[in-house]
């Protein structure tokens, strides 16, 4: 029987925070490997919210669903602007 006079400790490990950049890179690679046009497929997903635009290959579909679509748009726009300003 447990000693009820002592405090028990319970530790929950947090999942590492996903970076949108890493998610997009993984999804892009998975779509390319499967022979899809990754830009068209990612745009389809962003516009519709339908995860079937993203292949399940290499867990890409599950991964992209862990980030919000507006975060994806924000990341792409920020990168576009950074690229344009560096020209």
């Amino acid at each position: 029987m447990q000693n009820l006079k002592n405090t028990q400790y319970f530790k929950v490990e947090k999942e590492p925070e996903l970076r949108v950049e890493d998610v997009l890179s993984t999804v892009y690679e998975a779509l390319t490997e499967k022979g899809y046009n990754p830009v068209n497929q990612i745009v389809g997903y962003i516009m519709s919210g339908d995860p079937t635009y993203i292949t399940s290959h290499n867990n890409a579909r599950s991964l992209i669903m862990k980030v919000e679509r507006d975060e994806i748009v924000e990341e792409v726009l920020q990168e576009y602007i950074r690229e344009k300003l560096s020209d």
Side-chain angles (χ1 to χ4, degrees):
M1 183 172 242
Q2 292 181 353
N3 184 350
L4 299 179
K5 293 181 182 181
N6 294 327
T7 301
Q8 299 295 317
Y9 292 96
F10 183 78
K11 184 175 181 180
V12 177
E13 296 292 328
K14 291 182 182 179
E15 287 186 28
E17 193 169 317
L18 293 174
R19 291 182 31 204
V20 176
E21 178 182 357
D22 297 336
V23 170
L24 283 173
S25 179
T26 301
V27 170
Y28 186 94
E29 289 175 23
L31 288 164
T32 301
E33 286 176 10
K34 293 304 281 183
Y36 295 109
N37 179 322
V39 173
N40 288 349
Q41 297 304 112
I42 293 170
V43 168
Y45 170 70
I46 291 170
M47 297 298 291
S48 70
D50 183 355
T52 60
Y53 277 98
I54 307 300
T55 181
S56 58
H57 178 65
N58 287 347
N59 208 28
R61 186 178 298 158
S62 297
L63 193 58
I64 203 165
M65 290 170 55
K66 290 182 180 182
V67 295
E68 297 293 328
R69 289 182 295 152
D70 63 323
E71 291 178 87
I72 296 170
V73 172
E74 184 178 331
E75 178 68 27
V76 171
L77 185 58
Q78 284 177 348
E79 184 59 32
Y80 177 81
I81 291 169
R82 272 193 294 266
E83 187 70 27
K84 287 297 180 185
L85 290 178
S86 69
D87 287 347

